[in-house]
Amino acid sequence: MEKKYVALTFDDGPSKDTTPALLEIFKKYNVKASFFLMGKSITEQTVKYSEMAYAMGCELCNHSENHKGMSSLSDEEIVEEVNTAEEKIKQITGKNTVFFRPPYIDYNNRMMELIDKIFICGDGAEDWVAEISAEERFERITKQVKNGSVILLHDMEGNVNTVKAVEMIIPKLIEEGYEFVTVSELFEKCKVKAERNVIYSNVFEPK
Ligand SMILES: [Zn+2]
């Protein structure tokens, strides 16, 4: 079977329930994921889950401090939103993040100039909507996935349907020949150089 690569990514965490539940699943299947952390979610109570994720080989990425629609902010505010979260993440990893996901995927050229990171979107399942069942999240994700895809989900507090969906997505995609890698590894394994001033939902299809 031809080797295919996919990156599972989670936004808005860390959270005290969803994040550790996901880490248990990753351990069970020996897979890695990437977390786009929201700075204000990193608290005394939750930081340990990001530390555990990082120790397991997961990648930590930047999703801003306060999750504002950023395209309407001033230059200074944009930089502050990224840098405040960045400092908190750096406390965990000791290094700067490579990837940024704009809150609400609200971005413009000015943000791309100001934020010295690779912009990442992804294919999701509207998994912040409580009414969308785990089965539907599973169906949507597994239908749209391709080699080089970024899967976009959320590890916000109480997101049990995404935990259940991930429990189904991982074995299904392993069976289809996918390897789960971090976003950095996705570019490496697919032999794609990540570029600035574009946004990726799949490493082969910059937009
Ligand atoms: Zn978000």
Side-chain angles (χ1 to χ4, degrees):
M1 204 185 323
E2 193 202 340
K3 195 86 203 165
K4 295 178 285 188
Y5 299 98
V6 63
L8 266 177
T9 71
F10 298 89
D11 284 6
D12 300 358
S15 63
K16 63 177 168 31
D17 48 8
T18 309
T19 314
L22 289 170
L23 295 181
E24 284 304 311
I25 300 171
F26 301 162
K27 267 184 219 160
K28 178 171 156 191
Y29 292 102
N30 194 28
V31 306
K32 286 184 268 184
S34 302
F35 292 93
F36 286 78
L37 305 186
M38 178 164 63
K40 73 174 178 188
S41 295
I42 305 171
T43 66
E44 231 168 85
Q45 197 184 14
T46 62
V47 68
K48 59 178 176 280
Y49 302 120
S50 294
E51 289 167 351
M52 281 167 63
Y54 186 64
M56 284 169 61
C58 291
E59 184 164 28
L60 305 187
C61 311
N62 194 315
H63 191 44
S64 86
E65 177 65 19
N66 292 299
H67 212 280
K68 295 176 178 170
M70 287 172 67
S71 65
S72 55
L73 300 182
S74 70
D75 288 5
E76 292 72 23
E77 288 169 327
I78 288 170
V79 170
E80 192 185 336
E81 273 296 310
V82 175
N83 287 355
T84 309
E86 188 75 7
E87 283 311 311
K88 293 182 182 176
I89 300 167
K90 216 172 166 179
Q91 291 281 322
I92 301 167
T93 63
K95 55 187 185 188
N96 282 112
T97 64
V98 176
F99 301 103
F100 175 72
R101 179 175 282 139
Y104 314 107
I105 316 297
D106 171 23
Y107 66 97
N108 56 19
N109 289 338
R110 196 163 53 93
M111 285 170 63
M112 287 183 157
E113 280 164 26
L114 289 165
I115 301 167
D116 185 18
K117 299 192 184 299
I118 307 298
F119 280 48
I120 302 291
C121 181
D123 298 319
E126 291 180 288
D127 73 315
W128 59 89
V129 180
E131 291 72 29
I132 296 180
S133 67
E135 288 71 23
E136 188 171 349
R137 295 174 194 208
F138 164 78
E139 291 291 339
R140 287 201 202 177
I141 295 295
T142 51
K143 263 189 198 136
Q144 63 199 356
V145 73
K146 290 188 290 187
N147 183 32
S149 282
V150 175
I151 296 173
L152 196 175
L153 293 165
H154 293 76
D155 62 329
M156 65 204 188
E157 205 171 310
N159 202 0
V160 285
N161 281 350
T162 278
V163 174
K164 286 183 197 159
V166 168
E167 181 81 84
M168 296 187 277
I169 290 165
I170 292 175
K172 171 73 173 167
L173 295 187
I174 289 173
E175 188 189 299
E176 290 181 8
Y178 283 95
E179 183 178 331
F180 287 91
V181 295
T182 65
V183 177
S184 284
E185 291 166 343
L186 190 64
F187 282 96
E188 286 162 25
K189 299 275 190 187
C190 294
K191 298 182 170 54
V192 173
K193 187 185 176 298
E195 304 281 358
R196 288 280 309 279
N197 299 314
V198 290
I199 190 161
Y200 296 91
S201 287
N202 182 295
V203 298
F204 298 111
E205 299 162 17
K207 285 191 185 105

